[in-house]
Each structure stands twice: as C-alpha cells, then as structure tokens.
Amino acid sequence: MTIYDISEKAGVSIATVSRVLNGSSLVSEKTRRKVMDAMEKYGYTPNAFARGLGLNTMKTIGILCADSSDLYLAKAVYYIEQKLRANGYDSILCCTGYELEAKAASMNLLIGKKVDAVILTGSNFVHDRDEDNRYIADAALRLPVMLLNAVLDRPNVYSIVSDDFSSMYEAASHMLRTGIRDILYFYNSGSYSGQKKLAGFRAAMEEAGFLNEDLICRYSGPREDILSMTEHLKDLQERGLCFHGVIASDDSLALASVKYAKQAGLRIPEDFSVTGCNNSMLSCCSDPELTSIDTKLEALCHHLVTTLMGVLAGNEMPKRTVFSGELIHRGTTR
Amino acid sequence: MTIYDISEKAGVSIATVSRVLNGSSLVSEKTRRKVMDAMEKYGYTPNAFARGLGLNTMKTIGILCADSSDLYLAKAVYYIEQKLRANGYDSILCCTGYELEAKAASMNLLIGKKVDAVILTGSNFVHDRDEDNRYIADAALRLPVMLLNAVLDRPNVYSIVSDDFSSMYEAASHMLRTGIRDILYFYNSGSYSGQKKLAGFRAAMEEAGFLNEDLICRYSGPREDILSMTEHLKDLQERGLCFHGVIASDDSLALASVKYAKQAGLRIPEDFSVTGCNNSMLSCCSDPELTSIDTKLEALCHHLVTTLMGVLAGNEMPKRTVFSGELIHRGTTR
C-alpha cells in the first residue's frame, strides 16, 4: 500500500494525500476524513511512507502533556526529554490542559512542526468514548504515537504502563493485613490510570469482605492545594464517616491525610495509616514520611523512548509493555 | 535599515541574510557571524523585518526552560502557557538542562520552528560572562526575547523580574528583629536571581552588624532530595557551626531545615526559625507550615505575556519590569 494507492482509494490527488499527511490546513475536513478513512481501512502507516520516500527527519519528537506543573507529569517529561536527548533527538512540548479540543489542536500543532513522533504523557489523553480518541488514531496514521500510562489499541500506537491495578491491590491488602478495615480511598482523577487504581483497591477490599462504597471519595477541589484536601477529609469525618486508614491515588492527597490525622489528634501509624502513590518528593516532606507506591516512572519513560527508537528504526516493537509498581514502606503504615 | 542594507553591509547576498534570519544550517558560522555583526552594528531588528515584509505568523511562542521538573519553573511555564493561550497563541517548550551549549542549541531549534518570540523562564539562561550570552543577543536580532527573572541589556530583550534583593533583605531583617542573630543562609543556585537573593541577605546582616560568612552555605547535592539537604545541615552542625535560624533560597531547602530542627529536638519557632522562598506547595506540606517569600510568580508571568503581546503589536514596551515580593508569615517564624 503506497501513497498512490491511497490517493486512488480516496478518489483524491496525490498532492492532497500529501497535504493531509503534512497536516496542511488547506484541506477541507471532509476531504481529510476521506483520506484518513482510506488510510485506516487499508492499513497504511506513515513510517513506511517516510522510509519509502527517504524523507528527511528533523530528529525532533513532540511531547503532549496536560499540565507541566503537575509533579508527576513534570517528572515524566523530564525523564523522557533526557532520554531523547541521549538518543540524539530534540523534543518540543505542548501543554494542552484537560479539554479534548485543546488536546487535538496541540496534536495538530506538533504534526505541523514536522515532528518524527508524538508522545502523550499521562493517562488523561485517552478517553472513555471511542470517538474522543479519534485525534490519536488519526495522528497515528501519520506518525508513531507513544502513550505513557494509557492504552489505546490502534495501529502505530504503543503503550507503556505501570500496573496500577496490582499496585493498589497490594497497597490495600497490606493495610488490611495490619488490621485496618475501614480504609478510605481518596482519589482525584477518573483517567485510565485512575480507574485501574480504583479497581485494584475495590478488588482487594471486596475479596476481604470489607468493601464499603461510602469510603470511596473523590476530591475535586483545586489541584496541589493541600489545605483544601485536608478540609475535605475533615468534612467527611464531620459528616459521620469513620475511617482509620487512607489509601490515596496521589502523594499530595496522602500528605493531606497525614495533616488531617495530626490535626484530629490521631497518632500515625498507631491510630491511623496512610499510603500514597507515585513516591514523589512529597513522600519525604511528610512527617512521618509517607509509605507510597513507586510506579517506576523513570523506568517507564526510559523504556518508552527505547521502544520509540525501535519503531523509528523500523523494527517490530511490542504494542504494550507493563511494569510492576513497588510499595515503599515508610513511617505512615504499620 | 532593511534586509537589503544588511546584505550590502555584510557583503553577502540577500538570500544569505534571509537564511541567517531563518536559522538555516546551510550558512557557515563565519558568514553567520558577519551577518549578525552587521545587524547588531546597524541596529536592525526583525520585528520591523517581519512587519515590513508582512510575513505570516504561526501564532506560536517558543519557551525555554532549564528543567521542567523543577517546581518553580514548572509553575512558571504553566502560567505562561495559559496566558499565551488566552491571547490566541500556541506555545512549544524546550527543556534545555543547565549547559550553555544545550541552551543555544534549543534556542536555534525553536527559531527553526518559526516561532514568533522566545521566552526564557528562570534566571539560569543569563550567564556572568558576556560572551556566554551571545546566543540570546543573536536570537534577539531575529525575534523578541523575553526573560523571566533575569536581566540582559540588549535590543529586543525584555525582562520581567521579582525584586529578590529586597525580598531577602526583608526576610533577614524580620528574623533579626525576632532576636535571632546566627542565621544560616542556605542556597543552591548561583544564578542571577540567586545572586540577588544572597546580596539582599548579606546587606541586611551587614547593616545589623551580624554578617558571618561561615553561615552562608551552598547545597550542591541532588535537587529535590530533601533527605540529602537535611543531612547537609546535620553535617554543618556536627562541624561545629552554630545557628538558630535558616533563611533558604527555596522552599525545599527550608523544608529540609524544618526536618533537621525537629530531628535535633529543637522546637519551631521557639528555638529555631525558618523562612523559605517561592511560597510553593511545599510551604503547606511542612509541619509547622513554612514562612515563605511569595515571589508573585503568577503576576510576573501574566505581565510577561502582556508585555510580549505589546511588543508583537509593535508598541513601545518597557525593557525591564520589577515586581515586589511579599513575606508570608506562617508557623516557622516568630
């Protein structure tokens, strides 16, 4: 399947196919759709295109990130950029925010800048509704798309994920073994990764016979606002919710839980246990220091770049790679 | 002064001048230097060029940042990108690391991507030696360069800075007024902003007659490693250094100081005071919460973008804008 076949199948000129591949704004949405559909239908991928025509590479990778000020995403971007540079690639980052439209626009911006591939950092880029992931599938028709901590089963899309389900399952099981049964699950994201974490927690609690849906609480206040998170827990307690442990989807929420317990006069870990997630710098800021899940972010990012280099070299690479997390025991659990 | 004049003065073709302006790699370093020198000598700026020729704008701004995983820089990038988007501009970010060569290479990468302007976030981009700032001056011949928290007096370079000198002067003066005289200054960066902060501390201590150079200590261990910072302070104390207060150039260093004091059995703020800087999320993670300098980062970033919009619209804009910081009193000082 070549660019000539696609032009024939789509009933447009080769120049038009080329324009679509290059993200030109001169093509109508209808025509673009026609070309995209033909490429998808006939399994046309642009790697072959680029190699076949011997196009010059800019040796530049595009990175999308919802919010570069998020501790976890910022670290991911840092590791990825370092590893790309070590491989002789430059990178350009677009911060998209959390709106679908902005994500799609940033994707097109990067494609317009002639990047060799696009890396989507964080699980916020893959949506529940299939049609909302069209912008990823479309991009993957032109260049390799790498997903960090998200999965989308499309040609030319590669996923590197942490096994969030098992990590949370293990964290909950451990806390249950220390005798705590009323564990609050405190989370702030319904993303792919967020759903896996919650499912892991639920599975462990259900198996043990202590699942209580009332104790699954979402925080939706301002991000990074530790004081607001602490207030949220105080509210829950004042509304009569009883819990002697918290498992949090993020270290900031865990840190707020430690703050809450101390203000309530509870001793940690004697009266109250907390487990965080991501093993970020916050885990050492807390007093006592946080037990937290190391999601092996650096290993994930390095592996993502290694996989990408393989894809760009034309090698057959695994579509999905899963890393195990590790529970790091510190002072907030028994 | 037009592109034609420059080509005449430099003794090269118009096509060559154009290549230099567009950052083409086809031009030898010697020729590039000749064109750049002519542009600098005759005060040629590319704004006029772009407007004069009515070139299309990509409505994209390039952002350079040494390390996107640094809490302070990550926030800055976030504010800048949000404000740019509100003004209808996309942005692409390059993380450069701290090496001069990588900074210059990233600058050229962005210029090659046809951005409308470049924003350098953080004071690490301006160096002490004038020749090391050539890459900024050269870039400013082609497009406006905005500096966040750094100053470089060159045509087409605009600076938005926080008054770090006064902020640190005020922080030290306040701690002195609470009766503490042996204040340790704990810092980790010799950047433009870092030098201003240190100078402000020195001035306050000197005026009060309590300046002790032994108590000015630089931490050069791994960034963000709170435990390593805490160890550093323990070492200082074990080597016989006596101090009952710490003023830190960053909240992470301040948080480590709180940790150190608690491990040493000192009560905060009764026996020991700590003041941090940047008023980051870490200031609320500490127990007690950190007194910290609010460097007004959001206001700085918004003003930077507003200034840039003015420059791009062809308006006369101030070359340097200085914002005052504010000392936020919390639990670690009296």
Side-chain angles (χ1 to χ4, degrees):
Chain A
M1 184 65 42
T2 71
I3 187 168
Y4 307 98
D5 301 316
I6 294 297
S7 106
E8 202 184 296
K9 302 288 182 195
V12 302
S13 71
I14 289 170
T16 299
V17 177
S18 171
R19 273 192 213 103
V20 170
L21 282 169
N22 291 317
S24 163
S25 56
L26 299 172
V27 186
S28 76
E29 181 52 33
K30 198 178 143 200
T31 306
R32 205 180 66 83
R33 197 66 271 151
K34 222 161 36 174
V35 173
M36 287 300 202
D37 288 346
M39 289 198 284
E40 192 163 8
K41 189 166 169 194
Y42 297 102
Y44 175 85
T45 62
N47 284 345
F49 170 64
R51 281 201 304 278
L53 295 188
L55 289 184
N56 281 331
T57 164
M58 302 285 289
K59 285 256 182 192
T60 304
I61 306 296
I63 303 176
L64 290 183
C65 162
D67 173 2
S68 65
S69 80
D70 176 279
L71 267 182
Y72 179 81
L73 297 178
K75 267 269 174 268
V77 168
Y78 174 76
Y79 290 135
I80 289 171
E81 294 206 314
Q82 285 224 320
K83 189 75 175 172
L84 284 174
R85 192 169 306 137
N87 280 278
Y89 277 79
D90 291 313
S91 53
I92 52 182
L93 174 69
C94 279
C95 297
T96 62
Y98 293 92
E99 299 303 320
L100 174 59
E101 207 176 313
K103 291 174 195 169
S106 292
M107 178 75 96
N108 285 329
L109 174 71
L110 284 180
I111 292 172
K113 301 281 174 201
K114 313 274 183 243
V115 295
D116 299 305
V118 173
I119 299 171
L120 310 189
T121 48
S123 53
N124 309 92
F125 288 98
V126 174
H127 300 253
D128 287 339
R129 296 197 314 174
D130 216 40
E131 65 206 80
D132 292 345
N133 298 320
R134 182 116 228 176
Y135 76 104
I136 301 177
D138 281 359
L141 291 171
R142 301 185 202 163
L143 36 68
V145 176
M146 310 299 296
L147 302 180
L148 178 71
N149 263 332
V151 170
L152 187 69
D153 191 15
R154 288 288 188 296
N156 217 21
V157 176
Y158 299 83
S159 297
I160 318 287
V161 297
S162 186
D163 187 355
D164 292 316
F165 179 95
S166 301
S167 295
M168 274 299 170
Y169 181 92
E170 163 63 16
S173 300
H174 175 81
M175 203 178 276
L176 283 165
R177 282 196 298 272
T178 67
I180 303 172
R181 290 161 178 199
D182 48 356
I183 304 174
L184 182 87
Y185 187 74
F186 198 30
Y187 74 110
N188 59 2
S189 164
S191 68
Y192 174 85
S193 160
Q195 290 173 26
K196 293 282 170 198
K197 287 178 188 173
L198 177 51
F201 174 81
R202 268 212 181 90
M205 298 304 284
E206 188 140 44
E207 265 182 47
F210 298 115
L211 179 60
N212 174 356
E213 290 290 338
D214 290 344
L215 288 178
I216 295 177
C217 296
R218 181 164 184 163
Y219 169 79
S220 48
R223 282 182 350 91
E224 292 193 7
D225 188 338
I226 304 281
L227 301 185
S228 158
M229 297 171 190
T230 309
E231 282 306 310
H232 189 99
L233 289 170
K234 222 181 283 179
D235 285 352
L236 292 177
Q237 184 236 330
E238 279 165 11
R239 280 196 273 130
L241 222 54
C242 184
F243 50 99
H244 289 85
V246 173
I247 291 184
S249 69
D250 183 88
D251 283 339
S252 60
L253 294 166
L255 204 144
S257 306
V258 170
K259 231 176 157 76
Y260 154 79
K262 285 164 89 170
Q263 287 175 6
L266 299 163
R267 290 169 309 157
I268 301 172
E270 293 82 353
D271 308 328
F272 196 86
S273 289
V274 179
T275 297
C277 186
N278 289 338
N279 198 34
S280 69
M281 75 177 294
L282 294 185
S283 59
C284 289
C285 293
S286 165
D287 180 21
E289 291 170 12
L290 287 176
T291 293
S292 184
I293 295 166
D294 182 352
T295 51
K296 308 288 180 186
L297 183 59
E298 186 168 6
L300 260 74
C301 292
H302 283 192
H303 193 83
L304 182 147
V305 173
T306 304
T307 303
L308 174 57
M309 292 301 124
V311 171
L312 291 174
N315 300 328
E316 192 77 28
M317 299 304 286
K319 291 283 291 171
R320 189 189 304 195
T321 315
V322 181
F323 279 74
S324 294
E326 183 188 354
L327 190 60
I328 309 289
H329 294 279
R330 294 202 188 85
T332 55
T333 49
R334 276 174 274 168
Chain B
M1 185 65 43
T2 71
I3 188 168
Y4 308 99
D5 300 315
I6 294 297
S7 105
E8 202 185 297
K9 301 288 184 194
V12 303
S13 71
I14 289 171
T16 300
V17 177
S18 169
R19 272 191 214 104
V20 170
L21 282 168
N22 290 316
S24 163
S25 56
L26 300 173
V27 185
S28 75
E29 180 53 32
K30 198 179 144 200
T31 305
R32 204 181 66 83
R33 197 66 269 152
K34 224 164 29 177
V35 173
M36 286 301 200
D37 288 346
M39 289 198 283
E40 193 162 8
K41 190 167 168 194
Y42 297 101
Y44 174 85
T45 61
N47 284 344
F49 170 65
R51 281 201 305 277
L53 295 187
L55 290 183
N56 282 330
T57 164
M58 302 286 288
K59 286 258 184 190
T60 303
I61 306 295
I63 303 177
L64 289 184
C65 163
D67 174 2
S68 65
S69 80
D70 176 278
L71 267 182
Y72 179 82
L73 297 177
K75 267 269 173 270
V77 168
Y78 175 76
Y79 290 134
I80 289 171
E81 294 206 314
Q82 286 224 321
K83 189 75 175 170
L84 284 173
R85 193 170 305 137
N87 280 280
Y89 277 80
D90 291 313
S91 53
I92 52 181
L93 174 69
C94 279
C95 296
T96 62
Y98 293 92
E99 299 301 321
L100 174 60
E101 208 177 312
K103 292 175 194 167
S106 292
M107 177 75 96
N108 285 329
L109 174 72
L110 285 179
I111 291 172
K113 301 281 174 200
K114 312 276 182 240
V115 295
D116 299 306
V118 172
I119 299 171
L120 310 189
T121 48
S123 53
N124 309 92
F125 288 99
V126 174
H127 299 253
D128 288 338
R129 298 194 315 172
D130 215 42
E131 64 205 82
D132 292 345
N133 298 320
R134 183 117 228 177
Y135 77 104
I136 301 177
D138 281 358
L141 290 170
R142 302 185 202 163
L143 36 67
V145 176
M146 311 299 296
L147 302 180
L148 178 72
N149 263 332
V151 170
L152 187 68
D153 190 15
R154 288 287 189 297
N156 217 19
V157 177
Y158 300 83
S159 296
I160 318 288
V161 297
S162 186
D163 187 355
D164 292 316
F165 179 95
S166 301
S167 295
M168 273 300 169
Y169 180 93
E170 163 62 18
S173 300
H174 175 83
M175 203 178 276
L176 283 166
R177 283 196 298 274
T178 67
I180 303 171
R181 292 161 176 198
D182 49 354
I183 305 174
L184 182 88
Y185 187 75
F186 198 30
Y187 74 109
N188 59 3
S189 164
S191 68
Y192 173 85
S193 159
Q195 289 173 27
K196 293 281 171 201
K197 288 178 187 172
L198 177 52
F201 174 80
R202 268 214 181 89
M205 298 305 284
E206 188 141 45
E207 265 182 48
F210 298 116
L211 179 60
N212 174 356
E213 290 290 339
D214 289 344
L215 288 178
I216 295 178
C217 296
R218 180 164 185 163
Y219 169 79
S220 49
R223 281 183 348 92
E224 291 191 10
D225 188 338
I226 304 280
L227 301 185
S228 158
M229 297 171 190
T230 308
E231 282 305 311
H232 188 100
L233 289 171
K234 220 180 285 176
D235 284 352
L236 292 177
Q237 185 236 329
E238 280 166 11
R239 280 197 273 128
L241 222 52
C242 184
F243 50 99
H244 290 85
V246 173
I247 292 185
S249 69
D250 182 88
D251 282 339
S252 60
L253 294 167
L255 205 144
S257 306
V258 170
K259 231 177 158 77
Y260 154 78
K262 285 165 89 170
Q263 287 175 5
L266 299 163
R267 290 169 310 157
I268 301 173
E270 293 84 352
D271 309 329
F272 197 86
S273 289
V274 179
T275 296
C277 187
N278 290 337
N279 199 33
S280 69
M281 75 176 293
L282 295 185
S283 59
C284 290
C285 293
S286 167
D287 180 21
E289 290 169 14
L290 287 176
T291 293
S292 184
I293 295 166
D294 182 352
T295 50
K296 308 290 180 183
L297 183 59
E298 187 168 5
L300 260 73
C301 292
H302 284 192
H303 193 83
L304 182 146
V305 173
T306 304
T307 303
L308 173 57
M309 293 301 125
V311 171
L312 290 174
N315 301 327
E316 192 76 27
M317 299 303 286
K319 291 282 292 171
R320 191 190 301 196
T321 315
V322 181
F323 279 74
S324 293
E326 184 187 356
L327 190 59
I328 309 290
H329 293 279
R330 294 201 188 86
T332 55
T333 49
R334 278 175 272 166

mmCIF file of all heavy atoms in Angstrom, chain A residues 258-268 271-272:
data_model
loop_
_atom_site.group_PDB
_atom_site.id
_atom_site.type_symbol
_atom_site.label_atom_id
_atom_site.label_comp_id
_atom_site.label_asym_id
_atom_site.label_seq_id
_atom_site.Cartn_x
_atom_site.Cartn_y
_atom_site.Cartn_z
ATOM 1 N N VAL A 258 -2.242 12.832 56.202
ATOM 2 C CA VAL A 258 -1.379 12.879 57.385
ATOM 3 C C VAL A 258 -1.686 14.143 58.181
ATOM 4 O O VAL A 258 -1.835 14.117 59.407
ATOM 5 C CB VAL A 258 0.113 12.851 56.971
ATOM 6 C CG1 VAL A 258 1.017 13.159 58.163
ATOM 7 C CG2 VAL A 258 0.469 11.495 56.362
ATOM 8 N N LYS A 259 -1.830 15.244 57.480
ATOM 9 C CA LYS A 259 -2.134 16.531 58.111
ATOM 10 C C LYS A 259 -3.466 16.440 58.860
ATOM 11 O O LYS A 259 -3.593 16.910 59.991
ATOM 12 C CB LYS A 259 -2.241 17.592 57.006
ATOM 13 C CG LYS A 259 -1.414 18.837 57.250
ATOM 14 C CD LYS A 259 -1.515 19.776 56.060
ATOM 15 C CE LYS A 259 -1.199 21.191 56.484
ATOM 16 N NZ LYS A 259 0.224 21.439 56.682
ATOM 17 N N TYR A 260 -4.460 15.860 58.193
ATOM 18 C CA TYR A 260 -5.787 15.684 58.795
ATOM 19 C C TYR A 260 -5.688 14.889 60.094
ATOM 20 O O TYR A 260 -6.230 15.282 61.127
ATOM 21 C CB TYR A 260 -6.721 14.983 57.803
ATOM 22 C CG TYR A 260 -7.831 14.219 58.465
ATOM 23 C CD1 TYR A 260 -8.968 14.891 58.956
ATOM 24 C CD2 TYR A 260 -7.742 12.843 58.645
ATOM 25 C CE1 TYR A 260 -9.976 14.191 59.596
ATOM 26 C CE2 TYR A 260 -8.747 12.138 59.279
ATOM 27 C CZ TYR A 260 -9.868 12.811 59.764
ATOM 28 O OH TYR A 260 -10.854 12.124 60.404
ATOM 29 N N ALA A 261 -4.970 13.765 60.041
ATOM 30 C CA ALA A 261 -4.893 12.872 61.208
ATOM 31 C C ALA A 261 -4.215 13.571 62.378
ATOM 32 O O ALA A 261 -4.659 13.460 63.526
ATOM 33 C CB ALA A 261 -4.140 11.593 60.833
ATOM 34 N N LYS A 262 -3.136 14.318 62.065
ATOM 35 C CA LYS A 262 -2.426 15.010 63.135
ATOM 36 C C LYS A 262 -3.313 16.074 63.781
ATOM 37 O O LYS A 262 -3.335 16.235 65.001
ATOM 38 C CB LYS A 262 -1.131 15.623 62.599
ATOM 39 C CG LYS A 262 -0.056 14.553 62.363
ATOM 40 C CD LYS A 262 1.070 15.057 61.500
ATOM 41 C CE LYS A 262 2.175 15.695 62.315
ATOM 42 N NZ LYS A 262 3.371 15.946 61.447
ATOM 43 N N GLN A 263 -4.059 16.781 62.934
ATOM 44 C CA GLN A 263 -4.955 17.814 63.474
ATOM 45 C C GLN A 263 -6.068 17.184 64.301
ATOM 46 O O GLN A 263 -6.588 17.807 65.231
ATOM 47 C CB GLN A 263 -5.531 18.659 62.337
ATOM 48 C CG GLN A 263 -4.497 19.605 61.739
ATOM 49 C CD GLN A 263 -5.027 20.362 60.518
ATOM 50 O OE1 GLN A 263 -6.195 20.274 60.179
ATOM 51 N NE2 GLN A 263 -4.137 21.100 59.867
ATOM 52 N N ALA A 264 -6.453 15.945 63.961
ATOM 53 C CA ALA A 264 -7.504 15.257 64.709
ATOM 54 C C ALA A 264 -6.942 14.572 65.951
ATOM 55 O O ALA A 264 -7.674 13.887 66.673
ATOM 56 C CB ALA A 264 -8.198 14.237 63.809
ATOM 57 N N GLY A 265 -5.641 14.751 66.198
ATOM 58 C CA GLY A 265 -5.028 14.174 67.388
ATOM 59 C C GLY A 265 -4.774 12.674 67.292
ATOM 60 O O GLY A 265 -4.587 12.006 68.314
ATOM 61 N N LEU A 266 -4.768 12.144 66.075
ATOM 62 C CA LEU A 266 -4.526 10.709 65.896
ATOM 63 C C LEU A 266 -3.026 10.464 65.723
ATOM 64 O O LEU A 266 -2.341 11.238 65.051
ATOM 65 C CB LEU A 266 -5.277 10.203 64.657
ATOM 66 C CG LEU A 266 -6.801 10.357 64.702
ATOM 67 C CD1 LEU A 266 -7.398 10.227 63.307
ATOM 68 C CD2 LEU A 266 -7.408 9.330 65.648
ATOM 69 N N ARG A 267 -2.541 9.385 66.321
ATOM 70 C CA ARG A 267 -1.131 9.051 66.156
ATOM 71 C C ARG A 267 -0.942 8.208 64.896
ATOM 72 O O ARG A 267 -1.739 7.319 64.608
ATOM 73 C CB ARG A 267 -0.619 8.271 67.370
ATOM 74 C CG ARG A 267 -0.520 9.117 68.643
ATOM 75 C CD ARG A 267 -0.271 8.196 69.837
ATOM 76 N NE ARG A 267 -1.258 7.108 69.856
ATOM 77 C CZ ARG A 267 -1.075 5.936 70.467
ATOM 78 N NH1 ARG A 267 0.040 5.683 71.099
ATOM 79 N NH2 ARG A 267 -2.020 5.013 70.446
ATOM 80 N N ILE A 268 0.126 8.542 64.158
ATOM 81 C CA ILE A 268 0.452 7.802 62.927
ATOM 82 C C ILE A 268 1.740 7.034 63.161
ATOM 83 O O ILE A 268 2.733 7.647 63.568
ATOM 84 C CB ILE A 268 0.637 8.771 61.736
ATOM 85 C CG1 ILE A 268 -0.654 9.572 61.531
ATOM 86 C CG2 ILE A 268 1.007 8.034 60.465
ATOM 87 C CD1 ILE A 268 -0.529 10.681 60.512
ATOM 88 N N ASP A 271 -2.648 4.875 65.395
ATOM 89 C CA ASP A 271 -4.106 5.002 65.310
ATOM 90 C C ASP A 271 -4.608 5.126 63.874
ATOM 91 O O ASP A 271 -5.804 4.973 63.605
ATOM 92 C CB ASP A 271 -4.584 6.278 66.042
ATOM 93 C CG ASP A 271 -4.043 6.366 67.451
ATOM 94 O OD1 ASP A 271 -3.854 5.298 68.062
ATOM 95 O OD2 ASP A 271 -3.810 7.494 67.932
ATOM 96 N N PHE A 272 -3.711 5.457 62.966
ATOM 97 C CA PHE A 272 -4.147 5.869 61.644
ATOM 98 C C PHE A 272 -3.032 5.581 60.639
ATOM 99 O O PHE A 272 -1.871 5.912 60.887
ATOM 100 C CB PHE A 272 -4.457 7.380 61.681
ATOM 101 C CG PHE A 272 -5.271 7.887 60.529
ATOM 102 C CD1 PHE A 272 -6.667 7.834 60.563
ATOM 103 C CD2 PHE A 272 -4.660 8.426 59.400
ATOM 104 C CE1 PHE A 272 -7.434 8.307 59.506
ATOM 105 C CE2 PHE A 272 -5.428 8.900 58.340
ATOM 106 C CZ PHE A 272 -6.816 8.844 58.395
#
